[in-house]
Amino acid sequence: MANRFGGSSIAIECNALEKHYPSGAARRVRAIAGVTLRIHLGERVILHGPSGCGKSTLLSLFGGIITPTSGELWVLGYPLHRLREHHRAHLRRRLVGFIFQDLALVPGMSVEENILLPLLPDGGPTADHLVRLEQWLKHFDFSHLRNVPVNELSGGERQRVALIRSLMNDPPLLLFDEPTAHLDSGNTEQLIQALTQLFEGAPEAKARSLIISTHDPRLIDTPLATRVITLSDGQVAGDELRRTRPAL
């Protein structure tokens, strides 16, 4: 069934997905080892497991940042395993909001400049982008901080700037890599509340998926998650449905 973005109602589908990295002259490391998954739009998934289990690699595959060594990977109906880099980059900018562990904000640039920066390769912000900017700044109570350099913000505030930036193209897929790695318990709770508000009760949330990679147990039991997928040594070791995804 098609969604409002014109693609599949399945956010992610992968079959026997593998990702190998070179390690020395004659060795290769299998970071992802034969993963087969299907994630629907509307699901909010926690990718859980210890450091080095393959969470960030799998998230980067889903976001089209890296390519698989073998296997099939479909994102919103598009075969990422077959696409050239410039096609993947185009789809990534249009369909995926990726929030990196280090946030990838530019020190010295303001909140607004950082939020709008990823739009420059496509010609800069449109009128719709500027409307969306005002909406999200107001939603997160950031209007008064729009001209503040990001290096003057707290860790929790920088997280929200990165979150707003990821939402500027209204993507159907949000990917968040280790969001609480550098946050204390108070900022972690604020982030969970912000994400919950983003997804609970909003009609468009039924056509958007959230996938968070984390080893933080504080995110496992949050009501935000509808599904918890556990990775171990690059393989799926557990897949638990917590709540039924909303119907499209």
Side-chain angles (χ1 to χ4, degrees):
M1 180 175 62
N3 61 66
R4 68 189 178 95
F5 298 94
S8 169
S9 63
I10 299 173
I12 302 284
E13 185 163 16
C14 56
N15 181 41
L17 197 64
E18 299 258 346
K19 181 61 180 179
H20 304 170
Y21 292 111
S23 178
R27 294 184 62 243
R28 296 183 71 81
V29 174
R30 293 175 76 197
I32 298 298
V35 169
T36 296
L37 282 173
R38 176 179 287 181
I39 298 172
H40 289 84
L41 285 169
E43 288 194 287
R44 304 190 296 272
V45 178
I46 302 293
L47 284 178
H48 183 248
S51 296
C53 72
K55 302 184 304 296
S56 294
T57 296
L58 191 58
L59 205 70
S60 294
L61 286 165
F62 290 168
I65 295 173
I66 59 177
T67 57
T69 302
S70 63
E72 296 180 333
L73 173 59
W74 301 79
V75 175
L76 275 300
Y78 295 95
L80 261 63
H81 58 288
R82 298 177 185 168
L83 299 182
R84 296 179 182 272
E85 167 56 27
H86 67 281
H87 289 135
R88 285 189 292 110
H90 175 70
L91 290 174
R92 187 166 61 239
R93 291 195 297 268
R94 188 165 62 91
L95 300 177
V96 179
F98 202 111
I99 306 169
F100 297 90
Q101 182 175 346
D102 65 2
L103 303 182
L105 300 175
V106 181
M109 294 182 67
S110 70
V111 167
E112 181 173 325
E113 288 169 335
N114 268 278
I115 291 171
L116 298 179
L117 185 62
L119 302 175
L120 294 181
D122 291 324
T126 65
D128 286 343
H129 285 129
L130 296 178
V131 169
R132 196 170 293 133
L133 171 67
E134 298 302 326
Q135 291 173 339
W136 287 120
L137 287 174
K138 182 178 180 180
H139 177 86
F140 288 105
D141 193 23
F142 256 60
S143 297
H144 64 295
L145 296 175
R146 66 190 308 150
N147 296 317
V148 176
V150 293
N151 48 293
E152 297 181 12
L153 302 179
S154 69
E157 288 171 335
R158 289 195 295 271
Q159 282 275 14
R160 288 191 284 279
V161 172
L163 179 57
I164 295 171
R165 183 181 61 189
S166 75
L167 293 167
M168 288 305 295
N169 277 328
D170 196 21
L173 183 60
L174 277 181
L175 306 177
F176 219 145
D177 191 17
E178 297 285 2
T180 61
H182 306 294
L183 297 184
D184 59 21
S185 57
N187 278 315
T188 295
E189 183 59 33
Q190 289 180 11
L191 176 64
I192 292 172
Q193 290 177 356
L195 290 172
T196 301
Q197 291 172 1
L198 183 63
F199 280 86
E200 295 289 345
E204 64 272 17
K206 296 179 180 180
R208 178 179 288 135
S209 287
L210 171 68
I211 305 176
I212 298 175
S213 74
T214 184
H215 65 272
D216 189 341
R218 294 175 295 181
L219 290 175
I220 303 304
D221 295 323
T222 173
L224 174 69
T226 63
R227 184 177 175 187
V228 176
I229 297 172
T230 303
L231 295 183
S232 178
D233 296 325
Q235 298 177 313
V236 175
D239 191 347
E240 179 186 356
L241 187 66
R242 293 288 179 86
R243 295 166 59 189
T244 303
R245 69 185 178 92
L248 293 177

